Amino acid sequence: MIVDATGQRALIARRLGLIELDPKLKNAAVFTHYEGAVRDPGIDEGATLVLHTAGQEAWFWYIPLPDDRVSVGVVGPVDYLLNGRSGSPEQIFAEEVARCAPLQPRLENARPGMDFRVLRDFSYRSRQIAGDGWVLVGDAFGFLDPIYSSGVLLG
Ligand SMILES: Cc1cc2nc3c(=O)[nH]c(=O)nc-3n(C[C@H](O)[C@H](O)[C@H](O)COP(=O)(O)OP(=O)(O)OC[C@H]3O[C@@H](n4cnc5c(N)ncnc54)[C@H](O)[C@@H]3O)c2cc1C
């Protein structure tokens, strides 16, 4: 029995042509890790925040990590976030930060600790979860928009 745990590479399901994109979740994300971003005091220090932009076209995740790093990413429909925009991922990210007032003071004295990365069309599932001699687990089977920490739970 082969267990495919290759994450979003989804080796077996892609080879067998089983992957289906979810047409209602055609989202994209632009994200990075910041150093020096605001961390709330006490028990809230590690709390994940979800912050909508004005107009609610997109939303940010704000996830405090160890070593003074905070994962910050913006999620929105591919058509809104990527198509028709000519800027770099960093510029797109900055445009959305400008639309998200509660995020701005949190990043005021922070600096990106890695390049800005883009993911698109990342919600998918395989039509089949197992076959003769193989089974899919975690992201190798399917992946949802990562809001509410569904990814690690399913993995
Ligand atoms: C931007 C973003 C934000 C997210 N935020 C959250 C969050 O806040 N909370 C949450 O719960 N989840 C979140 N997730 C989802 C979560 O990261 C995944 O759902 C989870 O890691 C899936 O676990 P997995 O073991 O299936 O795959 P992975 O963790 O991706 O592991 C797959 C492993 O297989 C390896 N691999 C791939 N191909 C091969 C091969 N051919 N041979 C050998 N090894 C191979 C890869 O290198 C990797 O180590 C997020 C995901 C993204 C993209």
Side-chain angles (χ1 to χ4, degrees):
M1 173 67 70
I2 294 171
V3 176
D4 183 347
T6 55
Q8 296 205 17
R9 292 216 180 154
L11 190 73
I12 290 178
R14 290 189 198 280
R15 286 246 175 117
L16 298 181
L18 297 173
I19 291 291
E20 288 178 336
L21 297 179
D22 188 326
K24 290 186 188 143
L25 289 172
K26 281 185 80 69
N27 284 343
V30 183
F31 63 99
T32 189
H33 286 179
Y34 275 91
E35 292 165 2
V38 169
R39 301 173 84 91
D40 290 323
I43 197 170
D44 289 334
E45 182 182 355
T48 292
L49 299 179
V50 171
L51 303 163
H52 277 283
T53 56
Q56 306 215 341
E57 295 98 341
W59 59 270
F60 279 90
W61 75 75
Y62 188 93
I63 305 174
L65 303 173
D67 303 324
D68 190 30
R69 293 169 84 83
V70 179
S71 168
V72 189
V74 60
V75 178
V78 174
D79 281 343
Y80 170 75
L81 204 59
L82 301 182
N83 295 346
R85 292 209 210 189
S86 55
S88 65
E90 186 167 3
Q91 282 169 319
I92 292 171
F93 190 92
E95 286 165 15
E96 292 307 309
V97 171
R99 295 188 177 106
C100 188
L103 184 60
Q104 291 157 17
R106 292 183 167 270
L107 298 182
E108 206 167 47
N109 298 313
R111 63 215 161 271
M114 65 178 207
D115 288 342
F116 286 79
R117 294 176 55 191
V118 176
L119 284 174
R120 57 183 299 159
D121 295 338
F122 50 67
S123 294
Y124 61 83
R125 60 182 293 168
S126 167
R127 281 198 302 280
Q128 230 176 299
I129 198 168
D132 189 15
W134 56 268
V135 63
L136 313 178
V137 299
D139 285 8
F141 168 68
F143 184 73
L144 282 175
D145 205 331
I147 194 168
Y148 303 139
S149 294
S150 56
V152 168
L153 175 70
L154 292 172

